[in-house]
Amino acid sequence: MTVAGNYDCITKTPMGPQKGVLTVVPGEGDTFTGQITGDLGSMDVKNGTVSGNTLTWQMKMTMPMPIDLDCTATIEGDTLTGKVKAGMFGTMELTGTRRV
């Protein structure tokens, strides 16, 4: 099964759960692009790589404050589980389900 698709995600943040839709678009070789869109706007995937069923990427958050995010997620079937490292705010849990 491919990791490509749209995932309804929730990130557990210090501001409470943040909902978003993560779009994963396959690139060349082991790369991917995409974005996450939610209540605080959209962020583009940067430096997305795929290793088996594990995704690794970065994003630049601008709202409510600028911060660099380092993300990793594993996809098992239609379920996504991962972590988002947000600088001084630490690491937050990321979960999601593929949209059918």
Side-chain angles (χ1 to χ4, degrees):
M1 174 176 282
T2 178
V3 296
N6 296 311
Y7 298 84
D8 289 313
C9 293
I10 296 176
T11 305
K12 292 183 180 176
T13 76
M15 297 173 16
Q18 297 295 313
K19 293 181 181 179
V21 177
L22 173 66
T23 300
V24 177
V25 180
E28 301 232 356
D30 64 352
T31 67
F32 76 96
T33 61
Q35 66 180 8
I36 192 163
T37 304
D39 294 336
L40 298 177
S42 292
M43 293 180 283
D44 290 332
V45 167
K46 306 287 185 196
N47 305 315
T49 60
V50 180
S51 177
N53 63 340
T54 300
L55 308 175
T56 305
W57 73 98
Q58 287 84 41
M59 295 184 292
K60 290 195 178 283
M61 185 172 77
T62 57
M63 292 293 291
M65 68 183 67
I67 195 163
D68 291 333
L69 305 175
D70 292 311
C71 311
T72 185
T74 300
I75 298 172
E76 297 282 346
D78 291 331
T79 302
L80 178 148
T81 55
K83 303 281 184 193
V84 177
K85 185 174 180 200
M88 65 184 167
F89 294 103
T91 301
M92 302 172 284
E93 183 180 327
L94 171 68
T95 58
T97 303
R98 186 190 312 259
R99 287 185 168 183
V100 179

